[in-house]
Amino acid sequence: MSGGGLLVAGTTSDAGKSVVTAGICRWLVRQGVKVAPFKAQNMSLNSFVTREGAEIGRAQAMQAQACRIEPTALMNPVLLKPGGDRTSQVVLMGKPVGEMSARGYHGGRQEALLGTVLDCLAELRGRYDAVICEGAGSPAEINLRRTDIVNMGIARNARLPVLVVGDIDRGGVFASFFGTVALLSPEDQALVAGFLVNKFRGDVSLLEPGLEMLHGLTGRRTYGVLPFQHGLGIDEEDGLRISLRGTVRESSTAPPVGEDVLRVAVCAIPLMSNFTDVDALAAEPGVVVRFVDRPEELADADLVVIPGTRGTVQALEWLRERGLADALVRRAAEQRPILGLCGGFQILGEHIEDEVESRRGSVDGLGVLPLRVRFAREKTLTRPVGEALGERVEGYEIHHGVAQLTGGEPFLDGCRVGQTWGTHWHGSLESDGFRRAFLREVAAAAGRRFVPAADTSFAALREEQLDRLGDLIEQHADTDALWRLIESGAPQGLPFIPPGAPA
């Protein structure tokens, strides 16, 4: 028998679909329900490697953690990784299958993937009591509806009830709810069960007349009003918000353990990927993390991080154009700490040979670390485990660049020269013992009287966040009604709201 299901759609991108999906998943698993997340198609540069070596969106990996299960490729069968304004790498079932323009993808390739997507969803529903699906953008993108496989396309084919989330903090939420329904075909509208208001500030009683009018206009109820809460960020699909940074910045109860703070500057390079790597730094009391794009902003930094990128050569050119490259070379010569992660590691090397990603051929790197990089067509997707600074480290690798080391001190399959460190390993800073040891080295090199907290557990902080999301659903949504939706589908006889989708 197939398990229940629900599609969490949104009035816009960043309406809160990922947060709501994770919250529903955590609420369900706390009720003893076997639940899994699903997103048919994700567009993101923040990805993760599953234990079987498949690349999926980090949001789905986080949602799997909310479900207390291991993430798999079934949970995100299609991942699009932008390589510029008009092209993306298509990752199918965790493996890259080529680059494609948006026109080419929406012109036929996307529709052809519907069978694969439905098979994955059916397999999950066969294994779990419930599958909570996340949509993408808005379901009312009328120009893309014909080839849609992530919003109403998947809802129609799998007969999923749809909950539409709106961010009231942006304003216009009533118009957005009404307009979303009114731009769908009668068949699609029949699956839209109702609404969920996200990020509400103030007295809910003041909102209730509007919710009653919305019900009168659409025949659909509102399943909950979630209050605005600070520090609830999770692994973002894209953008420059990082999940735990906000929590640390707002915390007045976690001052530095030592006498000084530690300032971390992250270079905001183009096509930045897996910037969530620095979340673990921001989780440490007394560590201040900020993104920078000017050389003068490196001056007072105790540590500079060059993060991963989907465009190593483009990022290198950007660093040179802005004067950041020269500042980084000077910084390395002065023995001031730099950490390069994945693409950032490659940038710090002597030479890059790229006929795959940028197709620029031979390019000189910054020459700070003794390595040469050659881009291979096959992507490295692994979950390495090792040791550094006397501590056990776990990470994951996602890269086409193959590093040939010609010197330096070994460091997580990369190398270290003086106070410049480089590795392909994402997620290494989430290993608590290693992170503390690394920060002690940075503080010593920077001359800061900073002391890492002895008890900061990144995994525990993540669990706290997921529980807070579950609490939001449990305390502010009609969970009985939500469960009826998941188990039985959309209510029968929902009215059609004109004009409907264009012919």
Side-chain angles (χ1 to χ4, degrees), residues 10-12 15 138-140 164-168 170-183 195 214 218:
T11 55
T12 62
S138 161
V164 181
V165 178
D167 179 355
I168 197 169
R170 292 182 173 191
V173 75
F174 292 117
S176 298
F177 281 147
F178 183 88
T180 296
V181 178
L183 280 177
F195 314 107
L214 182 67
T218 66

Side-chain angles (χ1 to χ4, degrees), residues 354-405:
D354 181 12
E355 297 292 351
V356 175
E357 195 175 74
S358 69
R359 298 184 178 87
R360 301 282 180 86
S362 297
V363 178
D364 288 333
L366 297 187
V368 173
L369 289 178
L371 75 141
R372 302 175 72 83
V373 177
R374 177 186 56 80
F375 275 72
R377 298 204 174 274
E378 190 74 18
K379 184 184 277 191
T380 298
L381 295 167
T382 63
R383 290 275 291 271
V385 177
E387 187 176 300
L389 302 179
E391 300 285 348
R392 186 176 187 273
V393 188
E394 295 183 31
Y396 57 99
E397 295 186 53
I398 306 169
H399 54 91
H400 285 279
V402 178
Q404 179 188 357
L405 298 172

Side-chain angles (χ1 to χ4, degrees), residues 3 19 84 91 134 170 226 248 252 264 270 308 320 359 374 388 399 483 492:
V19 169
V91 179
E134 180 186 343
R170 292 182 173 191
L226 307 186
V248 173
S252 58
V264 179
R320 286 184 166 131
R359 298 184 178 87
R374 177 186 56 80
H399 54 91
W483 178 246
Q492 296 296 306

Side-chain angles (χ1 to χ4, degrees), residues 5-10 38-41 114 117-118 121 125 131-136 138-140 145 147-164 184-193 485 489-490:
L6 174 70
L7 176 70
V8 178
F38 179 78
K39 185 162 186 173
Q41 172 197 293
L114 180 61
V117 162
L118 290 171
L121 178 56
R125 293 180 81 178
V131 178
I132 308 303
C133 308
E134 180 186 343
S138 161
R145 175 61 185 92
T147 58
D148 171 48
I149 65 170
V150 66
N151 290 307
M152 299 313 298
I154 192 89
R156 280 270 292 278
N157 279 279
R159 302 306 301 169
L160 292 172
V162 178
L163 183 69
V164 181
L184 301 178
S185 69
E187 296 82 3
D188 286 351
Q189 286 193 24
L191 294 173
V192 178
L485 269 188

Side-chain angles (χ1 to χ4, degrees), residues 26 30 65-66 68 229-234 244 247 251 253 283 455-472:
R26 179 49 62 102
R30 293 195 307 207
Q65 186 179 347
R68 298 182 177 140
Q229 287 197 10
H230 292 283
L232 267 187
I234 51 174
L244 291 175
T247 305
S251 174
T253 59
D455 57 353
T456 302
S457 166
F458 186 76
L461 286 169
R462 273 290 163 86
E463 279 297 302
E464 280 178 27
Q465 279 190 310
L466 293 171
D467 276 332
R468 288 177 68 196
L469 295 180
D471 292 344
L472 270 182

Side-chain angles (χ1 to χ4, degrees), residues 166 257 286 352 368 454 482 487:
V257 176
I352 298 169
V368 173
L482 272 181
E487 197 174 35

